[in-house]
Amino acid sequence: MTEPQIFDREAFAEPLKFAYWVPNVSGGLVVSKIEQRTDWGYDYNVELARLAENNGFEYALSQVRYIASYGAAYQHESTSFSLALLLATERLKVIAAVHPGLWQPGVLAKFIATADQISGGRAAINVVSGWFKDEFTKLGEPWLEHGERYRRSEEFIRYVREIWTSENAEFNGDFYRLHDFDLKPKPLASESRPHPEIFQGGNSTDARGMAGRVSDWYFANGNTPDGISEQIRDVTDVATVHGRKVRFGVNGFFIGRDTEAEARDVLREIVDKADREAVEGFGSAVKQAGQSTGDKKGMWQDSEFADLVQYNDGFKTGLIGTPEQIATRIIEYKRRGVNLLLLGFLHYLEDVEYFGREVLPIVRELEAVELERV
């Protein structure tokens, strides 16, 4: 039985935020041979970023890939690409995905501090503990087991936050050390944002605990409202013990059409034209990574073939149908405590504009109705 949700009116009063996956990696957001009108190049991404910030998107997330894998033949590096998009936009906040183990945290902190200064306080990071072993071993770096990767990531976040906020920063951990270091200039700071926001993902018990202890935002793979509620409860329980608050984002793949039948036909075609070899290779890699957790609870562990056609289980979120259906579904996630929807698209420019024109106004109307109702 689903536990009843406690409605937090104050939290609900804040408008839901939207982010999009930056296509800085070739191949699109689905592992399918269907046409995807997108482009991993710089000029296209600048056009997209400007379109997105004018269609209700507050954040963009630059992906991190270091080598060709599972349909992604070419990859632009995430932090430099994020800075480029920050400089090409006015309001958009850009989140750069980064790997502990491939970045020394002080160097990363310095880079992001500079990007934050240049962009007027719009830089952020998404700390990725890593699931793809080859990215580490082919670069000559050690591959840690699951729990150790999350221990390292937690130290990475503590170190970065310390160097961003302290004048004589000190940190002594098992992976990283910091001695009387004064970073100048520091990132821009305000009461609402004392340092660049720190996001993280992961569905495992290790990931949920780490989020509760150190992260500002917890990104979840696509999931049902009930599945998201469980993750929010787990992370919030840990955060409460540590006197913290964590905000929540959920991945979803958007297929909005004028009729539900049209949207369902698109989903069916995506799956029917899936690159089976690439999807099966990806599924084998990520499930092996998840099975290395102590309790066998991790990302992609209950994902079927069709789910894996979208890298982060985006179909599970169910943002597929008419604008009214999608907006209603989005509000259900907000009721569960979700603060942000991270969206992927098949045809980026057309779909981002469609979302801003057709779906977002309904979301805002439903938010207002919900506040009047309680």
Side-chain angles (χ1 to χ4, degrees), residues 96-111:
V98 297
H99 274 132
L102 300 181
W103 272 102
Q104 198 282 338
V107 176
L108 183 277
K110 184 74 171 176
F111 181 100

Side-chain angles (χ1 to χ4, degrees), residues 48-119:
L48 172 61
R50 291 170 177 166
L51 181 72
E53 73 175 358
N54 289 321
N55 278 275
F57 287 83
E58 188 168 333
Y59 293 89
L61 172 60
S62 294
Q63 304 170 64
V64 59
R65 288 284 186 94
Y66 285 95
I67 57 174
S69 58
Y70 314 115
Y74 298 94
Q75 324 85 33
H76 281 304
E77 192 277 325
S78 59
T79 58
S80 53
F81 209 77
S82 295
L83 177 56
L85 294 183
L86 286 168
L87 295 177
T89 54
E90 297 177 355
R91 301 176 303 281
L92 193 69
K93 300 171 186 174
V94 186
I95 311 160
V98 297
H99 274 132
L102 300 181
W103 272 102
Q104 198 282 338
V107 176
L108 183 277
K110 184 74 171 176
F111 181 100
I112 297 298
T114 297
D116 200 56
Q117 287 275 342
I118 292 172
S119 66

Side-chain angles (χ1 to χ4, degrees), residues 296-307:
K296 305 295 187 286
K297 182 162 67 174
M299 296 204 300
W300 300 290
Q301 287 310 290
D302 60 351
S303 299
E304 303 296 334
F305 177 88
D307 301 319

Side-chain angles (χ1 to χ4, degrees), residues 238 268 302:
V238 175
R268 191 175 304 110
D302 60 351

